[in-house]
Amino acid sequence: MDPLTFRCSCCGRVITGLPDLAYDAPLHYHQLPEPERPERANLSSDLCTIDEDHFVRGVCLLPVQGSDQSFGFGVWVSLSQENFRRYDETFEDEDQSKLGAMFGWLCNRIPTYPETVNLQTSVVPQDGRARPQIWIGEAHADHPLYIEQRTGITRERLGEIYASEVCDRRKNGDG
Ligand SMILES: [Zn+2]
């Protein structure tokens, strides 16, 4: 498998390998005033509860056009209380795909796209303790994230995403 390369859209540097863009928590957690978090929220690397709301972390995969690789956004979705309970109870199981797909609301704002918070998704638990796959729902068939998830993402778009979130030259203001 050849290493994937693309160009950062802000500085033109050639980047090798896929950018890593994952969120440590759902947006709702960051919106919670920090002093209230210990009492109202419970956050781990994969599960989050805020008051009566429940969230899990998954991966929204986009195939990279012209390659055999996929780029993944590590994002959070909210689940119903019942589905969260089922997910939590089977979290250690190797065959968690047995749960089948569940409905979730996307709970992160992904850069370079129109609003992504509260997109309807299908959350598909995986076997082998992999994070669940998150598929944008058909209700959003005209949303670029829905389209790119199915038709693939170009290397140019990878460069835009990299520039917006990862590139240190832009962050330092010298890009
Ligand atoms: Zn750059």
Side-chain angles (χ1 to χ4, degrees), residues 2 9 35 61 82 87 90 96-98 106 108-109 113 119 127 130 144-145 162-163:
D2 291 333
S9 74
L61 287 172
E82 171 62 11
Y87 185 84
T90 57
Q96 208 184 13
S97 70
K98 65 192 172 192
L106 191 58
N108 291 109
R109 190 158 282 148
Y113 292 97
L119 292 182
D127 291 339
L145 185 55
Y162 186 89

Side-chain angles (χ1 to χ4, degrees), residues 8 10-11 167:
C8 179
C10 76
C11 59
C167 184

